[in-house]
Amino acid sequence: MRVLVLGSGAGGGVPQWNCRCPVCSIAWDRPGEVRRRTQTSLALSADDRRWIVLDAAPDLRQQIIDTPALHPAGAGRHSPIEAVVLTSGEVDHVAGLLCLREGHPFSIFATASALDDIASSPIFGVLNPDIVARRVLALDRAVSVAGLAVTPFAVPGKVPLYREGNEVVVGAATEDVVGLEIADDSGHRVAYVPGVAHLSEDLVARLGAADVLFLDGTTFTDDELVASGLSTKTAGRMGHLPIGGEGGSLHRFASGTPTNRVYIHLNNTNPVLIETSPERALVAQAGWEVAHDGMEFVL
């Protein structure tokens, strides 16, 4: 199985288009110190011919251009992308579907909740249902997609921002937010969890069995955006578990389990994005990598 990181940033990417926070300022002026990142999406293939995309980031068109394996082949219209699998109905995960509206057949796999989110917006009608199939994922049930077995599982999270009401429940494990386990015929497994509000012991055990784990690394501290004066919301309020601090994700996995541990969905304020920061050194010492666009794993 081949795994490509198409994008690794959280909503807005790095640098964010309207931001001059300390991290974004470096990314604008000295990108060698903070790599520029598009918004989070992965591509996986069992045979280098048929590909599935995990989450359709708003940057998907540019990500395809930047990734030769996803280029069309032969004359006329073609794409090696057979399916898009969604982890939620958040804008950052579905907006890129609109980049795939030029009459090419593929399938969208998502939970009933996420498919309802798409169906409720008329703009996604540009994806002709006669050629773009919408297939329901059932929790903890594997489905074959382009030669890979994809299994969704509920993770603690919250509904998409545009569905929030006056009272927001954060941390419920429902089909509103899922993680994905992708396995090939050789038994290699990739776990992808770009958003999670907290990690139970059962969830840690499940993720620890993967060969490669891509885990929510949105912020380093819970109050990162608040302390920066950029938001009134903590990471927890947004449905994301911070990397550091008491209860953070950094020390929840035993050394060497899984072999490849990668933080993804990195917010533009996160100091781990600075290559020489103490926070970056800390995650490296704990055996974690920080995802970047173009990162690749071959299993």
Side-chain angles (χ1 to χ4, degrees):
M1 176 166 38
R2 188 177 173 198
V3 185
L4 304 176
V5 176
L6 303 181
S8 50
V14 183
Q16 186 169 296
W17 67 277
N18 63 343
C19 189
R20 269 282 183 183
C21 72
V23 179
C24 281
S25 292
I26 298 174
W28 286 120
D29 301 334
R30 305 190 303 279
E33 298 176 36
V34 172
R35 298 192 196 205
R36 294 175 178 173
R37 288 166 165 84
T38 58
Q39 294 161 93
T40 292
S41 184
L42 298 184
L44 300 92
S45 178
D47 57 13
D48 276 334
R49 295 185 300 105
R50 301 173 297 162
W51 289 83
I52 63 175
V53 170
L54 308 186
D55 287 332
D59 308 296
L60 184 55
R61 177 183 176 277
Q62 187 61 49
Q63 292 169 347
I64 291 171
I65 290 172
D66 292 341
T67 307
L70 300 184
H71 290 182
R77 291 188 174 180
H78 164 267
S79 173
I81 297 173
E82 287 200 3
V84 176
V85 186
L86 305 176
T87 60
S88 79
E90 284 284 4
V91 170
D92 299 335
H93 295 167
V94 304
L97 292 171
L98 299 176
C99 300
L100 307 178
R101 66 187 184 275
E102 281 78 21
H104 178 76
F106 68 99
S107 297
I108 301 170
F109 288 83
T111 64
S113 174
L115 289 178
D116 285 346
D117 289 335
I118 293 171
S120 68
S121 176
I123 194 171
F124 288 103
V126 298
L127 297 165
N128 186 345
D130 291 335
I131 59 173
V132 179
R134 302 182 185 187
R135 305 191 183 280
V136 178
L137 289 176
L139 295 178
D140 298 306
R141 184 176 299 175
V143 60
S144 179
V145 186
L148 294 169
V150 178
T151 305
F153 52 93
V155 299
K158 70 171 188 65
V159 299
L161 177 62
Y162 55 84
R163 279 176 50 201
E164 289 185 5
N166 293 329
E167 295 184 9
V168 180
V169 176
V170 179
T174 70
E175 65 171 30
D176 284 321
V177 180
V178 300
L180 299 172
E181 181 181 271
I182 304 93
D184 63 15
D185 290 340
S186 300
H188 298 119
R189 286 189 286 179
V190 172
Y192 171 65
V193 186
V196 64
H198 64 82
L199 290 168
S200 66
E201 292 301 323
D202 288 345
L203 185 53
V204 168
R206 180 171 197 158
L207 299 180
D211 295 289
V212 184
L213 167 61
F214 292 96
L215 185 66
D216 183 352
T218 305
T219 68
F220 193 82
T221 61
D222 187 53
D223 67 345
E224 187 170 292
L225 277 80
V226 178
S228 300
L230 300 175
S231 175
T232 60
K233 295 180 181 179
T234 63
R237 168 60 181 79
M238 295 187 293
H240 295 287
L241 179 69
I243 294 172
E246 185 175 353
S249 63
L250 186 59
H251 303 297
R252 294 300 307 277
F253 295 86
S255 178
T257 307
T259 304
N260 300 289
R261 290 168 283 174
V262 186
Y263 280 121
I264 199 165
H265 196 268
L266 302 149
N267 198 61
N268 59 289
T269 56
N270 195 328
V272 301
L273 293 168
I274 304 173
E275 305 277 345
T276 57
S277 69
E279 293 84 359
R280 180 62 166 268
L282 191 62
V283 299
Q285 290 166 7
W288 287 83
E289 295 183 74
V290 175
H292 59 82
D293 296 18
M295 178 182 272
E296 179 175 353
F297 293 90
V298 178
L299 303 175

